[in-house]
Structures are given as C-alpha cells and as structure tokens.
Amino acid sequence: MSLSRAPRRSRSTSGRALLLTAVTLAGALTLTACGDEDGGSKSSGSAGGNYVTGTSGISTVAKADRVDAPKLDGETVDGSTLDTTTLKGKVVVLNVWGSWCPPCRAEAPSFAKVAKEMEVAGQPVAFVGINTRDNTKQNAASFEETYGITYPSLFDPDGKLMLRFPKGTLNPNAIPSTIVLDKDGKIASRTLAALSEAKLRSMIDPLLLEK
C-alpha cells in the first residue's frame, strides 16, 4: 500500500508546483500589461526615504532622502562584463526589458534616441539595460539590433539582479521598469511603465542640473 500512495503524493506535489508557477507567471504578465505611461496618481510612501508618485506614474525621491542602489554586475548580452558601481559620477538610466514584452518594444526607440543624443552632446549619462526572462542571448541581441540599442544590457534571464534591490526601495518590480540613479549612485526616480521620449528626459534632466 505504501508503494501505491507514494506516486499520488508526488503527483500532488508536482501539481501544486505547476499551479504556483502558473500563478507567478500570471502575476508577471499582469504587471507588464498594467504598464500604462499615462496612469498614476499622487501618493507618497517610504523607500528608504520619502518618494512621491505623480500623475505621470514617475516616482521621485528628494536628494536628501535617496538610498544607494545595489551593485549590479555580470555578463552582458554581447558577452562583455559590466559593473554599475564603476559609473558613479554619471546619471545612470537602468531599463529592465525583455524581447518578448510589447511595452518594451514600444519604448525602445525612445531609449535608443535619447541615449544617442546624450552621448553626442557629451552629457554625463550612462544607459544600462537589464534583459530579463529571455531564454537566449540571441533573442535579446536581435531586439537590440532591431531597435538600434547600442548601450550595454546585463543578461539576467532569471531576474536575479532585480532582486538585489532591497525591500522598501524604489525597485523594478514590473517589466518594463526604469530606474534613474543620480551621480552619487543613489536611486532618484522610478517608473513601472513604458516611457515616451519626453518622460524619459523628464527623469534625466533634473539630475544633470544637480551639483
């Protein structure tokens, strides 16, 4: 009898695991589908300091209340290595994306354009992508080629880099997400929605003026 019961327990455990996986995936898709760049309302909360979320859906933190961003390092889509802590002294734009994500495809031309214009103008701004939930680098590389993305993207198929952001901070808990760090490597702003060119610049320009 014990031998006949064991397979049933195994199937039950396997079934629960599949159900949890499905629920997790559904939650991730919901977050992505809810990325509406025109949504949002004014609010405040604690993110290692106070932040305010405006009607644009962009959350900002006053300079005195900002906290350090975690170290994000590893292999990039093109096979190089990158460590974001070496970028202090620049405004750093972190964009979480996946080639499978429709809002990511929608915002990609804006990121490519603004990144190129900032580079040509000699602005102290560094763009870094975090590619997640792509099973192969080939898919990610094709996305970058299609949309003219020339800045590096860390390859993070399991989303481990996203988990380095401490709870309570403005962390990237949706896809796409964009987090902008000030020149001291502190988290200054975040949005959980696809960005237009104008809104992307609105997150960068005030930090360029800070001393």
Side-chain angles (χ1 to χ4, degrees):
M1 292 296 290
S2 60
L3 290 176
S4 63
R5 287 196 299 270
R8 285 198 293 271
R9 285 198 298 269
S10 176
R11 285 195 298 270
S12 176
T13 301
S14 177
R16 285 195 297 270
L18 288 172
L19 178 60
L20 287 172
T21 300
V23 170
T24 301
L25 179 58
L29 291 175
T30 299
L31 284 172
T32 301
C34 290
D36 180 358
E37 68 172 84
D38 291 323
S41 59
K42 291 184 179 180
S43 61
S44 64
S46 175
N50 294 323
Y51 70 87
V52 175
T53 303
T55 55
S56 65
I58 297 172
S59 301
T60 57
V61 186
K63 188 173 183 178
D65 294 327
R66 294 172 190 163
V67 297
D68 291 329
K71 178 178 180 177
L72 303 172
D73 63 329
E75 189 172 355
T76 60
V77 169
D78 66 4
S80 303
T81 57
L82 176 65
D83 181 347
T84 57
T85 60
T86 65
L87 299 175
K88 282 189 178 181
K90 296 182 178 182
V91 174
V92 179
V93 181
L94 302 171
N95 178 240
V96 181
W97 62 276
S99 67
W100 46 268
C101 163
C104 301
R105 293 195 289 269
E107 71 176 2
S110 295
F111 275 80
K113 181 180 179 182
V114 174
K116 185 174 182 179
E117 290 177 350
M118 292 282 181
E119 181 181 8
V120 170
Q123 296 283 12
V125 180
F127 280 72
V128 176
I130 301 176
N131 171 249
T132 190
R133 298 181 188 170
D134 270 313
N135 294 328
T136 68
K137 289 183 179 179
Q138 183 177 357
N139 291 340
S142 295
F143 178 98
E144 291 181 332
E145 182 178 0
T146 297
Y147 294 103
I149 303 296
T150 57
Y151 52 84
S153 287
L154 290 162
F155 185 60
D156 185 32
D158 299 323
K160 293 180 180 178
L161 292 178
M162 298 168 68
L163 297 177
R164 292 186 184 181
F165 287 80
K167 289 184 178 180
T169 64
L170 289 176
N171 52 64
N173 55 19
I175 303 169
S177 292
T178 299
I179 291 177
V180 182
L181 313 182
D182 65 19
K183 296 174 185 177
D184 295 321
K186 296 180 181 293
I187 300 171
S189 60
R190 178 198 68 179
T191 184
L192 303 177
L195 286 171
S196 65
E197 179 184 344
K199 289 185 178 180
L200 176 56
R201 286 185 175 276
S202 77
M203 296 177 73
I204 300 171
D205 291 344
L207 298 178
L208 289 173
L209 299 176
E210 291 183 351
K211 295 181 179 180

